[in-house]
Amino acid sequence: MGLFDKEKIISYLSIEDKIKLTEIEIFPTIESTNQYLLEKNSLSGQVCIAEQQTQGRGRRGKTWLSPPTGNLYFSVAWRFQKKLNHPWGCLGLIAGLSVAQVIESLIHQPVKIKWPNDILIGEEKIAGILVESNLSADDLTVVIGIGLNILLPQEYRQIISYPVTDLESFKSSFCEHNQLVAKLIHILFANLTLFAQIGFETFHDQWLRYAKYINQPVKLLNDKTEMCGKMVGIAKDGALLLEQDGIITPVYSGEFSLRPQL
Ligand code: BTN
């Protein structure tokens, strides 16, 4: 018997959530929940959950290690009209904010977001987000993939090259798995709907409250370059604002990774 149950998840949703939800599919194993929804040309509000991924995808072309049973591998498709005027780059930040809000409601610990969307407790990563998209003639379909560590076996923690944690480590307040998925669907649907209506501005200040390394010296790395400076904020379009010698430059998330400058 798997961890996730479709009927139970649906039973925790509100009427508005149920209207926006097109379908939930739950797989014991799949290559990648993101890939599945992208290939399927999904409708808005389509959710795919897996108990294991054999080719889990991470940001910047990395692999997302996905051990069997214990963690959540979740993707949702959302369609926006192309003519909508908001910068799409913000979607990863909104997804990160949504995941941080869900985790914070479950554990009595401060949750932080490392730009653009790594979810940390202290210095340890508990969830990662990968946003991918399909552009058709009329619409933009975005697939938001979330990997959330619920119970990460010790042997996997040793393989992962950065510090990690899981929800079970904060057991005292952790809720049931299906209720957790329902909370995630509820907050994501509400935030994505609001974003389509009024854009990122309404989330800007909330996001900053979760920001790890804000007003601290940071390094921004990709395969070719390294930029050092102070993270002084995020722009209305989701870019990180990096101050170097008194000049503030917007940096877009695409291929960059953020580190503290030690
Ligand atoms: C990261 O590198 O931090 C992003 C990880 C995103 C992993 C999730 S798990 C569900 C979805 N399917 C995938 O193949 N990747 C995302």
Side-chain angles (χ1 to χ4, degrees):
M1 169 92 168
L3 281 179
F4 302 103
D5 180 296
K6 179 173 165 173
E7 300 313 321
K8 281 199 183 139
I9 295 170
I10 292 174
S11 75
Y12 290 120
L13 296 176
S14 70
I15 293 174
E16 293 94 89
D17 296 332
K18 286 181 196 164
I19 292 170
K20 290 175 194 161
L21 180 76
T22 326
E23 193 182 14
I24 301 187
E25 290 175 281
I26 300 176
F27 295 95
T29 182
I30 197 169
E31 287 185 2
S32 151
T33 55
N34 264 30
Q35 184 188 329
Y36 178 74
L37 288 186
L38 281 168
E39 284 176 357
K40 202 175 163 169
N41 196 19
S42 305
L43 298 171
S44 207
Q46 186 125 15
V47 169
C48 175
I49 294 167
E51 310 243 347
Q52 179 182 22
Q53 295 184 122
T54 53
Q55 288 179 38
R57 316 211 280 229
R59 280 187 70 235
R60 305 175 71 216
K62 297 209 171 114
T63 300
W64 184 255
L65 271 187
S66 313
T69 58
N71 298 317
L72 174 64
Y73 312 110
F74 171 103
S75 298
V76 58
W78 205 259
R79 277 194 186 198
F80 296 94
Q81 288 184 336
K82 242 181 12 185
K83 64 176 190 293
L84 199 74
N85 233 351
H86 310 310
W88 308 115
C90 299
L91 276 169
L93 277 69
I94 288 169
L97 178 65
S98 309
V99 176
Q101 288 170 332
V102 170
I103 297 175
E104 199 173 62
S105 74
L106 299 176
I107 63 168
H108 304 296
Q109 300 280 330
V111 177
K112 291 284 172 195
I113 309 173
K114 181 165 79 74
W115 181 90
N117 50 25
D118 281 352
I119 312 299
L120 307 181
I121 300 176
E123 301 300 322
E124 296 173 335
K125 181 161 167 174
I126 190 162
I129 292 155
L130 177 68
V131 180
E132 299 182 277
S133 58
N134 256 346
L135 194 62
S136 74
D138 307 315
D139 289 322
L140 174 80
T141 302
V142 174
V143 172
I144 297 172
I146 297 165
L148 170 61
N149 300 332
I150 299 178
L151 178 61
L152 191 62
Q154 207 53 45
E155 60 269 29
Y156 281 87
R157 292 177 186 228
Q158 282 151 11
I159 308 171
I160 299 171
S161 61
Y162 46 82
V164 283
T165 190
D166 60 13
L167 275 182
E168 279 288 327
S169 309
F170 307 91
K171 225 179 182 146
S172 56
S173 47
F174 172 49
C175 69
E176 196 258 320
H177 290 80
N178 296 299
Q179 209 176 349
L180 161 73
V181 172
K183 272 178 189 260
L184 193 56
I185 291 176
H186 174 71
I187 294 193
L188 274 169
F189 282 14
N191 286 347
L192 290 169
T193 306
L194 201 59
F195 172 71
Q197 287 164 354
I198 47 182
F200 183 66
E201 275 197 44
T202 181
F203 298 102
H204 177 266
D205 292 357
Q206 288 183 64
W207 196 94
L208 272 186
R209 281 204 293 280
Y210 284 95
K212 183 98 178 157
Y213 307 128
I214 187 73
N215 292 322
Q216 290 180 33
V218 294
K219 278 192 280 195
L220 285 163
L221 314 170
N222 69 12
D223 295 339
K224 297 183 199 105
T225 44
E226 176 175 317
M227 290 185 279
C228 292
K230 187 160 104 176
M231 176 182 176
V232 290
I234 47 165
K236 301 284 182 214
D237 62 1
L240 180 144
L241 296 175
L242 187 72
E243 187 188 271
Q244 296 169 298
D245 303 324
I247 297 167
I248 296 176
T249 316
V251 181
Y252 291 86
S253 65
E255 291 304 308
F256 281 99
S257 215
L258 179 69
R259 302 271 186 282
Q261 252 186 73
L262 302 170

